[in-house]
Amino acid sequence: MSDDGTVILERSSKQAPRNYRTIDADQHLNPPQTFWAEYLPKQLRELAPKLEHGEDADYIVFEGKRRKVNLMNALAGKKAEDFKMEGRISDVLKGNYDAQARIADMDADGVDAAVLYGGGPLGTQNIDLYYESFRAYNRYLKDFCDHDRKRLCGVAYLPMRDVEESIKMLHEVAEMGFTAVNIPAFPQRPNSTVSASQTGASAQMAAQAAALTGDPWYEVQFDQPQFDRFWAAAVDHDIALTIHLGARMTRFEDKTRLLSDMLASKFAMAEPVAILIFGKVFDRFPKLRYGTIESGGGWMAFAADYMDRTWEKQRFWLGSELKNPPSFYMEQNIWASFIHDRVAVETRNLPGAKNVMWSSDYPHSETTFPDSQKWIDRLFDGVPEADKHMIISENARRFFRVGD
């Protein structure tokens, strides 16, 4: 039992295997900003964000700035015409931050298990606070998932500024029981943090965006040998690696660019995948599992076919030593999750496109909650049950090791 009286259910090898019918490959947490003061190291807790209740909204006060609580990532249960960017914590479902309420929402939505993303890091220029905010969020996430480890599968967050730092944190989260970690789409520069210059609801998203993206223009990229120790550690721990959008972030604060950015953010996920494939990372680490989350999956068949054709034409003068066509690695090493992507379903049997996973994106604005089963029925109309089961359950179970 935790300090606040919450009953914690530890994992037990005696539990009977669960029959997973629907596994949601991408849900999110929106923990109240007050959790930082509990989970940060004692010497940093006084620097944690604080929550204030204003007349028009709740406010987060952090590092001399005061901004309204962001609601854009917590709109589950709202009608589209009622969407708004800022407001009060009381405006959102308790399932955003309460494990028992999350399980209840999953039951109502016909979801047997959920893979959970969310949370950090803090948008700060303080290097120590930035690093420890990853660790604090991961501890919070562990406690949240301990409510029911058969149904809640958390994905820890790691920075990628320094290989040794990342390996150290990877070992730490593996010991905590995590089976997957999220890394930036591109490496981060050494000692990089997050600019705290933005205000309003976009500031919180900017902190997460920087951690999800890294630096695509950095001369150091993930196919270079210095990262091999990290890939080896992930394989040793049998931990899946994911990127979550990140290759191209959506500018939620700019209404004139939001919709075009949302489209671009999906297709941009192919670039980090191609870097790893053509950089022979999967030749060196054939057991490495790598997922592009909330990316859609309809582009995977095109990407596999296009990479195969261009590699066949260009590999000789480029001196490519890739052992197999790119589609081979798409089949062996790459997974992707989608929300509503009939093209991904239709192309599931084409080379490079089999490892697709369904998600509800609860509680974000695109979520299918509370009607996920209706959306699934519509999405998989005419699809054999065995194929449907692979996409809405089995692929995610294998990739994330759900329930392990």
Side-chain angles (χ1 to χ4, degrees), residues 15 36 60 96 102 110-111 171 185 191 201 209 217 221 256 274 278 288 299 310 317 336 345 355 362 370 374 379 402:
Q15 287 180 293
W36 294 110
I60 296 169
N96 278 272
R102 174 61 63 97
V111 172
H171 290 326
N191 294 322
W217 310 114
Q221 288 298 319
T256 67
F278 290 122
L288 187 65
W299 56 269
T310 54
W317 78 271
V345 175
N355 296 323
Y362 175 105
K374 293 180 182 178
L379 185 63
V402 172

Side-chain angles (χ1 to χ4, degrees), residues 368-403:
T368 56
F369 174 89
D371 299 313
S372 291
Q373 296 306 313
K374 293 180 182 178
W375 281 99
I376 287 172
D377 288 344
R378 182 187 306 177
L379 185 63
F380 290 91
D381 182 38
V383 174
E385 281 299 315
D387 290 7
K388 175 182 174 182
H389 178 72
M390 288 296 293
I391 296 174
I392 70 170
S393 180
E394 185 61 18
N395 286 345
R397 190 197 62 79
R398 290 189 299 116
F399 180 73
F400 292 104
R401 290 169 47 204
V402 172

Side-chain angles (χ1 to χ4, degrees), residues 7 49 66 134 149 199 206 215 259 262 269 332-333 353 368 379:
V7 176
R66 187 172 183 263
F134 281 91
R149 296 301 288 265
T199 59
D215 188 349
L259 295 178
M262 290 179 74
M269 298 291 272
Q332 174 182 267
N333 303 102
T368 56
L379 185 63

Side-chain angles (χ1 to χ4, degrees), residues 28-57:
H28 294 261
L29 296 181
N30 288 299
Q33 291 296 297
T34 50
F35 92 93
W36 294 110
E38 179 181 354
Y39 283 87
L40 283 167
K42 289 183 179 180
Q43 70 272 19
L44 295 175
R45 289 178 183 174
E46 64 180 23
L47 303 178
K50 295 177 174 58
L51 185 68
E52 292 184 355
H53 301 288
E55 292 185 3
D56 57 341

Side-chain angles (χ1 to χ4, degrees), residues 166-182:
S166 301
I167 291 174
K168 179 181 178 181
M169 196 178 294
L170 182 72
H171 290 326
E172 182 176 276
V173 299
E175 291 177 358
M176 294 165 66
F178 286 100
T179 58
V181 299
N182 195 78

